[in-house]
Amino acid sequence: MKLKTYFFNTKFFVKSAFFVLLISFCHLQSQRTLTVGGTNWTVTIPSITEAGSNYTGTYESATNQILLAASVPLLLGSGKVSVHYEANPTWNSNLILHARRTGNGTTACLTCSITGGTIYITVPLTTDVELFRIQAIVALASYTNIPVQLELSGVSVTIPATTYNSRVVFTISAL
């Protein structure tokens, strides 16, 4: 009678376990979510009553015009919240949109942080630009009601009078 002996190859086991952990970590890193809420912003531009006058040129929305909810996975996870706009359907290139984060929102995570985005940045057409970052240290970073304010500049009598619309798009990604 033959007896088979199996040896436990610890080197193979350690490599396999490391590979499984790496795959799991990469999967967790991709689990970022972002939800956008708030209301549409309609800029009220006052009428010009005197010949030779121009508009003030800059208009601000409410400080909480847009409310974001974002989550970043644990284990030293991070997320970059970016923004751009799309003409919807008509926009004038002389009109410039800006955005800024006006607060941190709410979170139960004591070891998480949210940084950047508290001064206005120019929101580009179709190309993402970073607005702020979220960092999770040892727990899931979950923020709600992160307030974002918009600003419109470049309003002038030289721009043809019509209705201009755009859609502001937010994304979250790994750093």
Side-chain angles (χ1 to χ4, degrees):
M1 171 169 49
K2 251 185 170 177
L3 185 62
K4 289 189 177 182
T5 307
Y6 293 96
F7 293 99
F8 184 70
N9 186 338
T10 57
K11 192 175 189 181
F12 175 75
F13 177 75
V14 170
K15 284 183 181 178
S16 298
F18 178 73
F19 184 69
V20 169
L21 285 173
L22 182 62
I23 296 279
S24 298
F25 182 71
C26 290
H27 179 69
L28 280 175
Q29 287 290 69
S30 67
Q31 299 300 314
R32 289 162 184 78
T33 61
L34 183 67
T35 306
V36 181
T39 59
N40 289 333
W41 178 38
T42 302
V43 181
T44 304
I45 299 175
S47 299
I48 292 181
T49 57
E50 208 169 303
S53 295
N54 201 349
Y55 298 107
T56 58
T58 302
Y59 302 90
E60 287 184 320
S61 72
T63 57
N64 61 347
Q65 189 69 43
I66 298 169
L67 295 172
L68 302 177
S71 65
V72 173
L74 56 135
L75 299 174
L76 302 175
S78 59
K80 174 177 74 170
V81 176
S82 301
V83 63
H84 74 271
Y85 78 91
E86 300 169 348
N88 186 28
T90 307
W91 191 255
N92 186 294
S93 61
N94 292 318
L95 298 172
I96 301 168
L97 283 174
H98 302 91
R100 70 177 177 165
R101 180 177 57 85
T102 57
N104 290 341
T106 54
T107 185
C109 180
L110 299 176
T111 61
C112 301
S113 64
I114 184 168
T115 58
T118 56
I119 59 171
Y120 278 119
I121 61 158
T122 300
V123 178
L125 176 65
T126 68
T127 304
D128 281 336
V129 65
E130 181 178 320
L131 183 59
F132 62 88
R133 293 179 181 202
I134 296 174
Q135 182 73 42
I137 305 300
V138 294
L140 172 71
S142 181
Y143 286 85
T144 58
N145 296 320
I146 302 168
V148 175
Q149 183 176 28
L150 299 174
E151 179 185 68
L152 176 68
S153 64
V155 178
S156 171
V157 294
T158 61
I159 295 175
T162 189
T163 301
Y164 297 102
N165 293 295
S166 67
R167 177 186 2 245
V168 179
V169 179
F170 295 88
T171 56
I172 189 167
S173 61
L175 294 175

